[in-house]
Every structure is written in C-alpha cells, then in structure tokens.
C-alpha cells in the first residue's frame, strides 16, 4: 500500500466513530426516541429498547400527494462527461419539466459516483488523492448540468457526509435482518463495470491493438480478472421468487419491454448471492463496513443508496416519509446498468421493507458512424463543445428527437444540421415568422375577433386544423405517460409541419388581398393557436427557445401551463412582448454559420 493510501485509510478509520455518533444523535433528535441497535450505533445507545425508527412502509406506498421524483444515474468521476451522460440528464430533465408543466411539484436528482476501484486506480495513475480527483471531476459534471439547462434540485456526491450516514445505516439494517453473511469469494471481477461475473458470462477475447488474449465480459466486452477474497455477501437468491412475482405483477416496470425481458431471464437463470464488500487491501477508497474496517462496502450498494439519501433517508419523520419524493417515480439509466437498478436495487429495498421504484427507464447508447464511442478510436463527443457549437436547445432537440430507448442511436454533425434546418428553422421558426411578421393582418386583432366564436361553422381546411389543435396536447401527454419523450416531441413537430401545410393551403395572404377579413381572422387565429399550444408543449424540451417563441407571440408568463394548451384557453395574447425583428438573422432559429 502506498503512503497516500495508508494515510487515507488511517484517516477513514479515525473518522468512522465520529460519523456513527453523529448520525445516532441526528436519529435521536428526529425520532425523539432511542436509536436502533444495528451493530454500529454509538455505545451510549446500545442496550436501549429496540424500536422501529420509521412508520410502516405501507404509509409510503399510500402516499399519493408526494412530489414527482426522477433521477439520473450518478456518474463515475474517473473520466470526463460524454454525450451519453448529457442524454441521461436531458431525459430526466424533460420528465421533471413535464410534471411541472402539469402543475405537480417535481424533484430531479443527479450527481456523481465517487468511490470504487475505477476511481482509486484513476487517482493512482494521476498521483493525486482520490478526493482531489473527485472534487475536480464532480464539478465538471455539475457544470454540464448547468450548461445544458438541467433543472436539477439535487446534485449528490457519494462522498457527502449525509450519504455516508445513509449507507452505514442501510448496511446496519441489512446485517440486523440477517441478509448479509461473510464468506470466501472466487470469481471474475471487472473493474470497468465494478461487478463480478459468473463463468458463463465471460469469454476469451483478443485485443485488436496488442494481439494479447484476455478474459472479458460477454455483455460489455470489458476485461475481467480472477479474484479470490474474503468478503460479505447479500442473500440475493433469497429474493428470487419475490422479484419474479413483482415483475409479473408490474409488466411495465422496466421500459422498454425488450430490456425488461432480459432482466426477467437473468433472474430466472443467473441469480447468485451478491458480493457486497471488498477487502481494504484491494480497495480502500470507499465507505468502510461498519464494525469491520478490514472491508469496504461494494461501490454499487453505496451508489444505489444515493436515491434514498436525496429523499431524506434515514431521517424520515413519521407521517412525512414521502416529502422528499420516495418512492421514486422514474430512475433514468443507460442500458448497461439496468441489472443493478432492476435486480440488485429492488432486492436490497425488499430486504428493508422499503417501497420499490415505480418505473425504470432504460435508454440505448450513442454511437458515432455506428461505432461505439471510444477514446482509443478518437470518436468521443465532448458535450461542452457540442453545446457551444450548436446551442443548448438545438442539442436538446436533436438528442431527444434522434435518441432511442430500445436501440442505440447514431450521432453526427450532419444529423444535427438536418434536424435544425428541417424541424427548428424550416418548421417551427418559419411558422412563427409566417404568422407574426406580415403587415397585412394582426394576430391580436384575430384573437380578439375570434374570442367569442367557439361554435362558428368553419371551412373544411380550418375545421381540420381545429381538430388537430384539440388533439395535440392529449397525444403528447400519452407519449409522456409511456416515458417516451422522443415520441412526444415527434408528435408535436408533426403538428408543426401540419400547421405549415394548413397555412399554405388556406393562404391567408390571398384572402387579405381579396378583402375577406373574416377568412383572414379565422386562418390567422387557428394558426396562432396552433403555435401558442406548440410553444407551451415544447417548454420541457427546448425551454429557452419555447419561452422566446411565446414572448414573440405575446403569451403572458402566467398562461403557459398544460391547462393553457387548449383551444380558446387564452384570449389575451397577440401583442409581442419582444421585438420581432426582420430578416433571417433575427428569427427564432437563424441560419447556422458553419454546418460541417
């Protein structure tokens, strides 16, 4: 062990007692009663009457007025953010913003996973203390969230003292319930995936760069190494039947369905007890096992608990357990970590009789020219550069529109330019200009004149557009209920394209030349209503540009909720709140200066 690691280990051991005592005092304060003896609480608490610190989990399950709670994975700090991290953040952000649009309080949590072998080795290679590496790289992920306009309420770090408290308490309850035992473990361990694999899940491969043979995970292709060590195991196999019953009772729990089928198959055929600690001699950068400083808690157990740390665990006052959002409504995860969230995590929660997540949304990876992004190949997309080059809302639009849940998605600058030109510039921006910029009619006059004519008989082309307006919010909402932001965005944009066709067919400029003011008011009003509803619906997807669109249309800031996204819901708009400008450069979506 290096001097640096020895110093870190000694510091960890010295801090352990103070953590235990501090959390015991906090629990006593929160509960006004004796702390639960679970193998690690302070000596002054030992021997007191045992009591359950929380009200029954049934109270949590029955909580219907809790805030909507959505999470991203917490991201490893051993490397810089990539476009896949941005995509996870974005999908969770859209889900949160949609709930806010509906008028429901919502919580979004993201953060960084800062313990484990990958981080320890990265720090050793850079000859820095792991915490210094974590501090620097964690801030980079926080910067990415800010830059991408992610409306996160929490940014958790697994090195936070509150999280350590929650992990130690969680571990104590597992031990108390007999769910953890000590044994010798042999198996294939993957540092890159931070997990053990059974023999059936590894294979021999040859490196295309060096020509050397190595053992690798069949699932991820990452190298594995044979490991023999004494550690603690979680009785995962004891929850096999309960997990399968839960899956059967909740057939839409993991989205998409093809990935859920893989989860069920894995539990049926590959389930083993889970190694939940590593010897300090191998891994000292993590949370020590309470009462056994020779072991470090497995990074995935540590990491998964972040979701309830954010929700206030274990300091849940009776009757207010759901105030922090638990149980989570949606965990957004990449396809490579589905098993951890849909097998290990629910089993751990079952062991403590805590409510399970309501949904798991798993998305595919981003590829470059159909190849997995890799530093060695040189095709990794820097999300900061992409946001600077194309703009925040352009990137949000492209990733949402082109991203997929069931399959991987291809990233290229050519695709971004194509989506921008066809959807944003030629579709939405052009539509807004066609309605608001002409001098031969007034949007405000059309809105005023049509306000009391809900039952007016309309020409067929206008009547068809009216029906489209009446349906679009419901169609978008249906996709969002299915956790399909891409489907919702495509539905909205198809309505934009349809509205452009409506304007072309109805030709209000011709009606204006003919002096048919009634027809002009009808056409302009239903076109303006279309754009107003679209602007409201697009707020979760492209928040800055949709706000600007609504400003240009003159929609008041207090009339931009989902309830307002209905025909005739607002008769006060039509006078722009900002200068409309002239020419392409002052449009909502100006031409791209450099396209390649």
């Amino acid at each position: 062990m290096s001097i640096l690691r020895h110093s870190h280990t000694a510091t960890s051991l010295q801090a352990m007692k103070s953590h235990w005592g501090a959390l015991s005092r906090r629990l006593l304060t929160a509960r006004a009663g004796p702390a639960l003896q679970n193998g690690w609480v302070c000596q002054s608490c030992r021997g007191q009457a045992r009591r359950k610190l929380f009200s029954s989990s049934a109270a949590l399950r029955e909580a219907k007025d809790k805030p909507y709670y959505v999470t991203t994975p917490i991201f490893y700090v051993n490397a810089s953010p990539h476009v896949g991290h941005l995509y996870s953040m974005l999908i969770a952000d859209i889900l949160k913003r949609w709930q806010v649009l509906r008028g429901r309080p919502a919580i979004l949590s993201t953060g960084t996973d800062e313990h484990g072998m990958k981080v320890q080795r990265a720090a050793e290679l850079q000859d820095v203390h792991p915490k210094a590496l974590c501090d620097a790289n964690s801030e980079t992920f926080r910067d990415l969230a800010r830059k991408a306009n992610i409306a996160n309420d929490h940014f958790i770090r697994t090195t936070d003292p509150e999280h350590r408290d929650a992990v130690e308490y969680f571990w104590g309850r597992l031990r108390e319930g007999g769910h953890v035992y000590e044994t010798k473990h042999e198996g294939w361990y993957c540092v890159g995936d931070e997990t053990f694999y059974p023999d059936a899940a590894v294979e021999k491969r040859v490196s295309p760069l060096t020509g050397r043979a190595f053992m690798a995970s069949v699932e991820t292709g990452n190298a594995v190494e044979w490991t023999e060590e004494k550690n603690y195991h979680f009785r995962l196999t004891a929850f096999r039947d309960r997990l399968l019953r839960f899956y059967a009772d909740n057939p839409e729990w993991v989205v998409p369905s093809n990935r859920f089928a893989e989860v069920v198959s894995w539990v049926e055929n590959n389930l083993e007890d889970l190694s939940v600690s590593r010897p300090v001699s191998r891994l000292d950068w993590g949370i020590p096992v309470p009462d056994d400083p020779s072991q470090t808690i497995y990074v995935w157990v540590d990491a998964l608990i972040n979701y309830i740390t954010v929700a206030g665990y274990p300091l849940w006052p009776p009757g207010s357990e759901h105030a922090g959002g638990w149980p989570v409504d949606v965990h957004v995860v990449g396809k490579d970590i589905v098993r951890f969230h849909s097998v290990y995590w629910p089993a751990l929660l079952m062991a403590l009789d805590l409510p399970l997540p309501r949904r798991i949304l798993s998305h595919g990876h981003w590829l470059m020219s159909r190849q997995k992004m890799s530093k060695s190949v040189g095709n990794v997309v820097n999300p900061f550069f992409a946001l600077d080059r194309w703009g925040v809302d352009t990137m949000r639009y492209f990733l949402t529109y082109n991203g997929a849940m069931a399959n991987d998605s291809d990233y290229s600058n050519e695709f971004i330019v194509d989506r921008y030109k066809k959807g944003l510039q030629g579709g939405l921006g052009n539509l807004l200009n066609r309605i608001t910029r002409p001098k031969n009619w007034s949007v405000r006059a059309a809105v005023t004149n049509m306000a009391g004519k809900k039952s007016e008989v309309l020409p067929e082309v206008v009547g068809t557009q009216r029906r489209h307006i009446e349906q679009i919010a419901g169609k978008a909402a249906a996709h969002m209920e299915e956790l399909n932001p891409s489907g919702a965005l495509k539905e909205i944009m198809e309505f934009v394209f349809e509205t452009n066709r409506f304007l072309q067919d109805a030709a209000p400029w011709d009606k204006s030349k003919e002096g048919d003011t009634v027809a002009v008011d009808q056409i302009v009003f239903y076109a303006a209503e279309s754009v107003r509803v679209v602007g409201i619906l697009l707020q979760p997807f492209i928040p800055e540009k949709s706000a600007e669109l609504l400003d240009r249309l003159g929609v008041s800031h207090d009339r931009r909720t989902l309830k307002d996204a209905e025909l005739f819901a607002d008769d006060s708009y039509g006078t722009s709140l900002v200068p409309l400008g002239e020419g392409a450069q002052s449009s909502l979506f100006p031409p791209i200066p450099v396209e390649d």
Side-chain angles (χ1 to χ4, degrees), residues 20 40 44 55 112 127 139 199 228 303 399 402 407 476 484 493 496 504 507 513 596:
W20 298 344
W40 62 265
S44 63
S55 58
T112 44
D127 196 25
E139 193 60 30
D199 289 341
E228 299 179 10
L399 292 175
N402 278 43
N407 304 302
N484 185 6
M493 291 308 298
V496 168
Q504 196 65 32
K513 291 177 183 178
D596 56 11

Side-chain angles (χ1 to χ4, degrees), residues 136-347:
N137 289 358
S138 178
E139 193 60 30
T140 305
F141 281 93
R142 195 188 297 266
D143 288 343
L144 179 61
R146 282 192 291 256
K147 192 171 188 66
N149 199 7
I150 305 300
N152 57 295
D153 303 274
H154 300 282
F155 189 96
I156 186 172
R157 301 178 57 184
T158 54
T159 52
D160 291 340
E162 295 82 4
H163 177 66
R164 174 172 176 157
D165 290 345
V167 172
E168 289 176 342
Y169 186 79
F170 196 101
W171 180 279
R173 290 200 64 196
L174 288 176
R175 286 292 301 273
E176 182 190 49
H179 301 294
V180 174
Y181 63 96
E182 192 173 11
T183 187
K184 182 181 179 182
H185 186 84
E186 298 180 350
W188 296 102
Y189 190 78
C190 179
V191 174
D193 302 332
E194 293 281 16
T195 190
F196 279 98
Y197 285 107
D199 289 341
V202 300
E203 63 184 8
K204 182 177 286 188
R205 295 191 179 186
V206 177
S207 170
L209 298 177
T210 66
R212 290 184 178 180
F214 67 101
M215 298 302 293
S217 161
V218 174
E219 182 179 357
T220 67
N222 292 331
V224 298
E225 54 192 41
W226 184 257
T227 303
E228 299 179 10
E229 60 190 35
K230 185 178 181 181
N231 54 26
Y232 290 95
H233 276 55
F234 170 63
R235 301 183 191 277
L236 181 59
T237 53
F239 293 90
R240 179 181 183 277
D241 292 343
R242 191 171 169 186
L243 283 168
L244 292 173
R245 281 197 304 272
F246 175 77
Y247 299 155
D249 292 342
N250 299 274
E252 297 181 350
W253 189 59
V254 175
V255 177
S257 58
N258 65 321
R259 220 151 278 144
F260 197 9
E262 295 170 2
V263 169
V264 174
S265 175
W266 198 88
V267 171
E268 289 176 336
N269 301 304
N270 299 297
L271 203 64
E272 297 178 344
D273 283 356
L274 179 66
S275 173
V276 290
S277 74
R278 304 295 309 278
V280 167
S281 58
R282 291 182 183 272
L283 172 66
D284 65 357
W285 180 239
I287 300 175
V289 169
D291 279 355
D292 188 353
S294 71
Q295 293 279 318
T296 302
I297 294 175
Y298 176 43
V299 64
W300 267 105
V301 175
D302 170 359
L304 289 166
I305 294 170
N306 97 84
Y307 301 125
I308 53 175
T309 302
V310 168
Y313 181 87
L315 301 175
W316 281 336
S320 299
E321 296 95 337
H322 63 281
W326 197 261
V328 68
D329 290 270
V330 184
H331 284 317
V332 176
V333 300
K335 69 176 186 179
D336 54 329
I337 55 174
V338 172
R339 184 172 73 250
F340 301 96
H341 288 80
S342 57
V343 180
Y344 302 163
W345 184 220

Side-chain angles (χ1 to χ4, degrees), residues 91-108:
I91 295 302
D93 183 63
I94 292 170
L95 293 176
K96 182 220 167 156
R97 287 178 183 270
W98 183 264
Q99 295 300 320
V100 173
L101 189 68
R102 293 180 58 206
R104 182 179 178 184
I107 298 169
L108 167 58

Side-chain angles (χ1 to χ4, degrees), residues 69-148:
Y69 178 29
V70 58
T71 69
T72 75
I74 52 173
F75 306 113
Y76 279 126
V77 293
N78 63 305
S80 300
H82 54 66
V83 72
H85 298 133
L86 173 58
Y87 185 62
S88 293
M89 288 182 178
L90 174 57
I91 295 302
D93 183 63
I94 292 170
L95 293 176
K96 182 220 167 156
R97 287 178 183 270
W98 183 264
Q99 295 300 320
V100 173
L101 189 68
R102 293 180 58 206
R104 182 179 178 184
I107 298 169
L108 167 58
S109 180
T110 188
T112 44
D113 187 357
E114 304 185 12
H115 292 137
M117 187 68 75
K118 283 201 291 190
V119 176
Q120 179 174 297
R121 288 187 178 180
E124 289 172 350
L125 287 172
Q126 298 180 38
D127 196 25
V128 297
H129 191 281
K131 185 60 163 62
L133 176 72
C134 293
D135 289 345
N137 289 358
S138 178
E139 193 60 30
T140 305
F141 281 93
R142 195 188 297 266
D143 288 343
L144 179 61
R146 282 192 291 256
K147 192 171 188 66

Side-chain angles (χ1 to χ4, degrees), residues 317-565:
S320 299
E321 296 95 337
H322 63 281
W326 197 261
V328 68
D329 290 270
V330 184
H331 284 317
V332 176
V333 300
K335 69 176 186 179
D336 54 329
I337 55 174
V338 172
R339 184 172 73 250
F340 301 96
H341 288 80
S342 57
V343 180
Y344 302 163
W345 184 220
L348 288 164
L349 292 168
M350 286 175 178
L352 270 58
D353 193 31
L354 293 174
L356 306 191
R358 291 180 172 173
R359 304 288 292 280
I360 309 290
L361 175 59
S362 161
H363 62 74
H365 289 162
W366 282 89
L367 311 176
M368 179 77 80
S369 301
R370 300 297 175 187
Q371 282 187 306
K372 185 177 180 180
M373 292 188 189
S374 167
K375 285 184 179 181
S376 59
V377 178
N379 63 350
V380 175
V381 175
N382 183 317
F384 291 97
F385 293 170
L387 290 165
D388 282 336
R389 178 174 186 180
W390 304 114
V392 171
D393 278 352
T394 300
M395 282 299 294
R396 289 176 64 107
Y397 177 84
F398 166 73
L399 292 175
T400 307
Y401 200 103
N402 278 43
M405 299 300 152
N407 304 302
D408 293 336
S409 306
D410 214 23
Y411 182 102
S412 80
N413 291 337
E414 181 183 348
F415 294 161
I416 296 172
V417 171
D418 183 66
R419 289 291 173 222
Y420 183 88
K421 284 185 168 182
K422 291 181 179 178
L424 296 178
Q425 184 183 29
L428 186 58
N430 181 48
L431 176 60
L432 179 65
N433 287 344
R434 296 174 82 183
I435 295 167
T436 59
R437 284 187 169 180
K439 305 298 184 184
N440 46 344
W441 62 70
S442 163
V443 174
R444 180 64 198 141
V447 171
T448 302
N449 294 337
M450 292 294 295
K453 300 180 179 180
K454 297 182 181 180
S455 58
E456 184 179 40
V457 177
L458 301 170
E460 182 179 353
V461 66
V462 181
T464 299
Q465 185 65 17
R466 173 174 176 154
R467 288 190 292 274
H468 289 322
I469 300 171
E470 292 170 338
Q471 296 169 0
I472 184 56
K475 289 181 177 180
H479 285 293
M480 294 303 293
E481 286 298 313
E482 296 172 354
L483 304 183
N484 185 6
S486 180
L489 180 58
K490 289 173 181 175
E491 194 79 61
I492 296 167
M493 291 308 298
E494 180 54 40
F495 177 60
V496 168
F497 302 141
E498 184 63 44
T499 303
N500 267 314
R501 289 191 288 269
F502 159 68
L503 264 185
Q504 196 65 32
D505 293 341
W509 40 86
D510 290 340
K511 303 295 183 184
S512 177
K513 291 177 183 178
E514 297 167 3
D516 191 346
T517 57
V518 172
V520 171
D521 281 347
Q522 285 181 343
I523 298 166
V524 171
F525 170 74
Y526 282 104
E529 280 288 80
S530 300
V531 176
R532 182 182 66 83
V533 170
V534 162
I536 291 171
L537 296 178
L538 284 176
Q539 289 175 104
F541 303 89
I542 49 172
E544 292 178 352
K545 288 295 186 179
S546 58
E548 186 180 346
L549 179 151
L550 294 170
D551 285 346
R552 289 182 179 225
L553 204 55
V555 178
S556 174
H557 290 272
D558 61 354
R559 306 297 293 272
R560 300 181 180 186
T561 70
L562 192 59
K563 290 182 180 179
D564 298 309

